[in-house]
Amino acid sequence: MGKEQLTEQYFLEKLAAAKTHFERALDCKHTEFDDLYPYMIEHPQFFWYKRYVAWSELLTLVNLCEDLSFPWKEQFTLHQVAYVEQRVLSAKVLDFWFEKNDSKEHAQR
């Protein structure tokens, strides 16, 4: 495995992947976390924990982008930026991350 160049593009691509991961977790779709901990599917707290892990990953990459002065906000809607800046994974974030809960565009990737 070669060394990755730590460029703005690299971090923004990682941020986009983390956002997709979080959105898939919100929609209870398969993520790589399911492969790492397949036994957790049997436990009710699994989906909350899966979302928390994805949220933490997203916040970590946002923090790195901020530290490096990379423009991370362009990848989010205005209300999503507000949620990220508040840093708390609240019920409001879970319920309203997607502006319309009936949207068919939820993490189709």
Side-chain angles (χ1 to χ4, degrees):
M1 182 183 291
K3 291 185 180 181
E4 295 288 338
Q5 290 294 322
L6 300 179
T7 62
E8 180 176 327
Q9 179 182 350
Y10 172 82
F11 279 96
L12 294 178
E13 286 172 3
K14 292 294 182 181
L15 178 63
K19 182 179 182 228
T20 298
H21 182 212
F22 176 67
E23 291 175 348
R24 290 185 64 80
L26 281 180
D27 281 344
C28 298
K29 292 186 177 179
H30 185 85
T31 68
E32 104 181 6
F33 188 79
D34 298 290
D35 297 333
L36 294 172
Y37 302 101
Y39 60 89
M40 295 252 330
I41 293 172
E42 301 167 10
H43 301 283
Q45 72 273 20
F46 171 74
F47 291 107
W48 171 252
Y49 188 70
K50 177 178 169 174
R51 290 169 181 160
Y52 173 77
V53 168
W55 181 249
S56 296
E57 176 186 20
L58 184 64
L59 291 181
T60 298
L61 282 156
V62 164
N63 285 339
L64 286 169
C65 287
E66 283 186 342
D67 288 348
L68 297 166
S69 300
F70 295 155
W72 65 271
K73 293 179 183 180
E74 288 81 6
Q75 296 194 35
F76 299 86
T77 65
L78 290 177
H79 76 276
Q80 289 172 342
V81 169
Y83 295 148
V84 169
E85 288 177 336
Q86 291 170 2
R87 305 188 51 78
V88 176
L89 183 56
S90 65
K92 186 175 181 181
V93 174
L94 297 174
D95 291 341
F96 300 108
W97 179 261
F98 302 104
E99 287 189 47
K100 296 179 181 178
N101 281 335
D102 61 349
S103 173
K104 293 183 180 176
E105 297 178 27
H106 289 196
Q108 291 180 353
R109 292 173 232 161

